[in-house]
Amino acid sequence: CSWKGGGCQLKVHYEDGFTLSELPISENEKPKIIWTYPYTQLRTSADDGIRLLWLDFGAEDGEKELDLHGCPKPLVFIIHTFLSAKISRLGLVA
């Protein structure tokens, strides 16, 4: 994906939440983390159905706009599935 015009990688982890990293220059280089947020900080998410994804973690710098270079719907589905599973695990299913 791209963020603020630069190439990056968004990782969505069931336990760790969201991590945006720079793309590594070489195979041996560890990618630099740009930002990371747990699921508990996610306030809203939205997409344009074409390529843009917006994530709002309620942070000072506001909403994050990511260009996924493709349809964001599969990623949004994964995020919602993870959140649903977390809620279910807590026993909060109605």
Side-chain angles (χ1 to χ4, degrees):
C1 66
S2 298
W3 185 64
K4 293 187 175 183
C8 56
Q9 181 179 41
L10 177 65
K11 292 183 182 179
V12 181
H13 188 274
Y14 180 77
E15 293 293 338
D16 299 333
F18 304 85
T19 302
L20 189 74
S21 303
E22 291 180 349
L23 294 175
I25 296 172
S26 69
E27 216 175 276
N28 299 331
E29 182 183 14
K30 187 174 181 177
K32 178 185 169 194
I33 294 175
I34 300 169
W35 49 256
T36 185
Y37 292 98
Y39 279 101
T40 55
Q41 277 191 257
L42 182 64
R43 300 293 176 248
T44 61
S45 65
D47 67 86
D48 68 353
I50 301 169
R51 63 186 296 156
L52 297 178
L53 173 68
W54 295 278
L55 299 172
D56 186 353
F57 296 101
E60 295 173 3
D61 51 343
E63 189 174 67
K64 313 286 189 215
E65 181 180 282
L66 298 159
D67 184 342
L68 299 182
H69 306 279
C71 184
K73 295 294 184 187
L75 179 59
V76 171
F77 178 78
I78 290 167
I79 292 169
H80 291 180
T81 301
F82 281 0
L83 290 171
S84 177
K86 288 179 161 299
I87 290 170
S88 178
R89 187 171 67 180
L90 293 172
L92 300 176
V93 177

